[in-house]
Amino acid sequence: MTEENRAGFETVEEDYEFLDTVEYEGDTYFILIPATDSEEIDGEVFVMKLVEIDGEEMLEGVDDGDLFDAVYNIFKENNKDEFEFLD
């Protein structure tokens, strides 16, 4: 992860656990899960887009289902050996 991408992530670091970044159609997306003390992941995954607003990098939730699926499918392909996906 570049320092630039890491800076965008630090804003949600306390509430979410970072899994990976995905580049899609020229944009950077963060794949996150809610932070927990448990080793088990309950299946809730968030895809957040790195955006710049007024010169400041921020993460914005992805609400478009097709975009979410496209980014999440890239994440699954890139991490198929690291995680067990149930879908």
Side-chain angles (χ1 to χ4, degrees), residues 4-73:
E4 186 175 293
N5 290 350
R6 180 75 185 153
F9 173 67
E10 288 174 358
T11 60
V12 294
E13 194 166 46
E14 293 176 12
D15 296 326
Y16 299 93
E17 182 179 337
F18 168 78
L19 297 180
D20 201 1
T21 58
V22 170
E23 298 295 324
Y24 180 70
E25 294 188 347
D27 292 313
T28 301
Y29 295 87
F30 286 73
I31 310 301
L32 309 168
I33 57 172
T36 179
D37 292 334
S38 171
E39 291 291 318
E40 227 172 274
I41 298 173
D42 71 0
E44 190 172 22
V45 175
F46 296 92
V47 174
M48 308 285 280
K49 180 179 179 180
L50 185 63
V51 296
E52 187 174 315
I53 299 174
D54 296 330
E56 199 171 319
E57 289 185 330
M58 303 177 138
L59 294 178
E60 176 179 274
V62 172
D63 295 328
D64 180 295
D66 292 334
L67 177 59
F68 181 99
D69 290 344
V71 172
Y72 186 64
N73 286 332

